[in-house]
Amino acid sequence: MAQAQDSNITEKFEQQLKQMQENFEKQQREMRENFERMLREQQKQIEALKKQVEAGKTNAPAAAPTNTTAELPPTPPPLPLAATAPATPPWSPEQPLRLGSAQNFINLSFDTLVAAGGSTANDIDKLQLGGHDPKQRGFTVQNLEAVFDGKVDPYFRGQANIVLQIDPHGDTTIEAEEAYLETMSLPWNLQVKAGQFFSEFGRMNPSHPHTWDFVDQPLVMGRFLGEDGLRSAGARLSWLAPTPFYSELFLTIANSQGGTAFSFRNNHDDMSYLGRLSMDRGVKSLGDMLFVPRYAASFNLSDSQTLVAGASGAFGPNSSGQNTDTQIYGADLFWKWKSPHQHAGFPFVTWQTEAMLRKYEAGAFNWDLNGNGITDPGERADLATGLPAKLPGETLTDLGLYSQIAYGFRKGWVAALRGDYVFPDQRGIYENIIGTDPDRAMRWRVSPNITWYPSEFSKIRLQYNFDHRNGIGDDHSVWVQFEFLLGSHAAHKF
């Protein structure tokens, strides 16, 4: 019985072994057939390539005769264009609109800044001191700016900012706001900048309206530096000191005349300024130019905090007399905190403040323009006598400051608050004769706002202003601002 069972087991094992052997032989046969099929297909491909090469030989132009005995190998046929030229990647907004080669190129961009809103003030043009501020109820085209920047050659880079504005009367003005070149390869950490440009006075003055954190410029900027900021044709030398922290000295020498040199040789559109009419005063020596020195330093307080401090000055002649000068002193501070766990730069907090002091030497002036001893139309009268006013020479000192804080509380959203304050050090002698001067009256402003950046190429801002002006009263203003940028704008300094 046991022998029969062993015989059955042996028979079953032999059958399984035979089946496995047959399956293995079948798999080998299939693999051999597949391999032979692959060899045949590869042979066909080789034959086709040989035919293409032979066709190339037949169609190739005859080689020019040479004196060498060795025969050169035939030139292979040119590859199709699609094979030799890589596909151009699609353009994205992060890329500049660039013309020219890597050695000489120009980037193009266009920025549009528009505001809409209103104010309780009847004299919005005097309430808002900046040239790019909204100055009427309804819509204001604040700034249309075309920027051209690029590399001139290995030694220079250049930039030009062409600005268009539409005034409250609907007229369009155009101006070359900036057009300058900068050196790129001077030794000893020196750099020269020359042309028409904003002077490096403080943090706010060199910046353009679309980079501001508020709809309008601070009051002290408009009162001391003018509605268009301190800018003129000139040259600037800077030196980056070899210190372990950022430390840079600037010195600008520029023309001292015109509306963009507001507190200097400016005729103020032939209107009286600080009680006096301006006189023509040309450039007779180097002392009739405008000098703007500045020192700036930056420190990393920690991995998440940076502090930038600066001190500036502006010195030059003014148009109230033949030997009168203006001196403006400024100090600025900027602090930024950015979370170590930030995403796309958010969250962050910045604090920025600037303080300025202006000493204006006002020359003596006689309002008896016709010399007839009576007050004619257009002449200023002495409040005590009613006769043409005779103003003494004096130095007028004014002060002003602003301080602002911005909080980027989530990606694309920034809330900000700014306070402004401008005031005279004391009443001028001329004001005792002809009355209070609104150009020196004490005033202050508080401005909260919130800004949404859908992307780095657009923004929408809502701002409220509360203004108080001595002798006039309080005013409320609400402005909505919209910006869009075409192209890649030149980088701005930190």
Side-chain angles (χ1 to χ4, degrees):
M1 192 72 180
Q3 291 179 352
Q5 289 179 348
D6 292 341
S7 176
N8 292 335
I9 292 173
T10 301
E11 184 178 355
K12 289 181 180 179
F13 177 77
E14 289 176 351
Q15 290 177 354
Q16 291 177 352
L17 183 63
K18 183 178 179 180
Q19 183 67 36
M20 291 174 61
Q21 184 176 1
E22 290 176 354
N23 291 339
F24 179 75
E25 290 175 352
K26 181 179 179 181
Q27 290 177 356
Q28 281 187 323
R29 187 166 53 252
E30 291 176 351
M31 291 175 63
R32 184 169 54 252
E33 291 174 355
N34 291 335
F35 180 74
E36 290 174 352
R37 183 167 60 254
M38 290 174 60
L39 287 178
R40 288 194 298 269
E41 291 176 355
Q42 290 181 355
Q43 187 65 31
K44 290 180 181 179
Q45 293 177 358
I46 292 173
E47 292 296 331
L49 288 174
K50 286 183 178 180
K51 292 181 180 179
Q52 290 181 4
V53 172
E54 292 296 329
K57 290 180 181 180
T58 305
N59 297 331
T66 63
N67 295 328
T68 60
T69 57
E71 182 180 357
L72 295 174
T75 303
L79 294 174
L81 182 61
T84 58
T88 303
W91 179 84
S92 66
E94 289 80 6
Q95 296 174 326
L97 301 175
R98 177 167 291 185
L99 303 176
S101 63
Q103 291 75 29
N104 187 306
F105 63 83
I106 181 171
N107 295 326
L108 308 177
S109 68
F110 188 82
D111 186 88
T112 297
L113 201 61
V114 179
S119 174
T120 60
N122 294 322
D123 54 347
I124 303 179
D125 59 326
K126 294 180 175 59
L127 181 75
Q128 300 287 98
L129 301 183
H132 297 279
D133 295 354
K135 293 192 174 184
Q136 64 179 350
R137 295 180 182 87
F139 291 87
T140 299
V141 179
Q142 295 181 270
N143 204 48
L144 304 175
E145 181 183 24
V147 181
F148 309 83
D149 78 280
K151 182 180 177 184
V152 179
D153 52 35
Y155 311 101
F156 301 102
R157 67 168 294 273
Q159 181 169 322
N161 298 66
I162 310 301
V163 171
L164 296 91
Q165 289 180 270
I166 301 177
D167 64 23
H169 303 290
D171 297 327
T172 301
T173 60
I174 183 171
E175 63 178 353
E177 189 172 64
E178 291 194 281
Y180 61 86
L181 60 80
E182 289 179 313
T183 59
M184 299 174 59
S185 57
L186 289 184
W188 307 308
N189 293 335
L190 295 173
Q191 185 187 61
V192 173
K193 182 178 183 179
Q196 168 83 5
F197 55 89
F198 282 101
S199 298
E200 277 96 356
F201 186 100
R203 285 192 61 84
M204 190 83 173
N205 183 70
S207 62
H208 292 239
H210 67 91
T211 66
W212 297 350
D213 293 325
F214 292 81
V215 171
D216 41 21
Q217 71 177 22
L219 297 176
V220 67
M221 299 285 297
R223 181 165 286 192
F224 293 176
L225 306 183
E227 64 176 12
D228 289 319
L230 184 61
R231 59 183 171 90
S232 194
R236 182 265 283 158
L237 176 67
S238 66
W239 176 56
L240 184 62
T243 55
F245 55 91
Y246 168 77
S247 177
E248 191 165 10
L249 281 167
F250 305 84
L251 177 61
T252 298
I253 302 177
N255 292 336
S256 60
Q257 77 271 14
T260 55
F262 180 78
S263 293
F264 300 93
R265 289 196 302 125
N266 178 19
N267 66 4
H268 299 279
D269 296 325
D270 295 323
M271 304 293 290
S272 65
Y273 181 65
L274 302 182
R276 298 151 173 90
L277 292 177
S278 301
M279 61 177 61
D280 293 331
R281 181 175 173 182
V283 177
K284 300 176 183 177
S285 66
L286 186 63
D288 291 321
M289 304 296 287
L290 176 63
F291 294 83
V292 185
R294 173 169 172 79
Y295 173 71
S298 176
F299 310 91
N300 290 325
L301 304 180
S302 67
D303 292 339
S304 59
Q305 298 184 67
T306 302
L307 181 68
V308 183
S312 308
F315 312 102
N318 66 53
S319 296
S320 70
Q322 289 295 341
N323 298 291
T324 53
D325 294 325
T326 299
Q327 305 168 25
I328 305 178
Y329 303 90
D332 56 273
L333 200 63
F334 176 80
W335 171 83
K336 182 172 184 178
W337 169 84
K338 185 167 64 176
S339 170
H341 309 291
Q342 58 85 22
H343 172 63
F346 292 83
F348 69 85
V349 177
T350 63
W351 172 59
Q352 177 175 315
T353 189
E354 290 191 60
M356 300 184 198
L357 181 148
R358 181 184 66 179
K359 288 184 172 293
Y360 188 94
E361 293 183 2
F365 189 79
N366 187 349
W367 272 100
D368 189 8
L369 304 180
N370 296 326
N372 56 11
I374 62 174
T375 304
D376 295 317
E379 297 179 348
R380 302 289 294 271
D382 188 317
L383 295 179
T385 65
L387 299 176
K390 295 182 179 180
L391 309 180
E394 57 183 322
T395 297
L396 305 172
T397 302
D398 294 271
L399 301 98
L401 61 88
Y402 75 88
S403 188
Q404 64 186 49
I405 187 168
Y407 174 37
F409 56 93
R410 60 177 298 179
K411 184 179 178 181
W413 288 90
V414 181
L417 176 67
R418 184 184 69 196
D420 291 88
Y421 186 41
V422 288
F423 58 99
D425 179 53
Q426 60 183 5
R427 184 182 176 94
I429 299 175
Y430 79 101
E431 293 183 275
N432 296 325
I433 299 173
I434 62 175
T436 302
D437 189 344
D439 288 325
R440 299 190 69 222
M442 188 276 287
R443 61 175 298 188
W444 54 272
R445 171 186 290 170
V446 176
S447 306
N449 75 20
I450 188 166
T451 307
W452 175 46
Y453 296 86
S455 73
E456 60 182 301
F457 303 98
S458 62
K459 75 177 177 217
I460 301 173
R461 174 172 291 153
L462 175 64
Q463 179 172 315
Y464 164 75
N465 287 351
F466 175 81
D467 281 274
H468 173 79
R469 292 180 286 175
N470 268 13
I472 297 177
D474 301 336
D475 287 296
H476 308 268
S477 307
V478 176
W479 308 107
V480 177
Q481 186 183 60
F482 174 73
E483 178 198 7
F484 68 86
L485 171 65
L486 301 174
S488 178
H489 201 78
H492 297 276
K493 289 187 178 181
F494 175 75

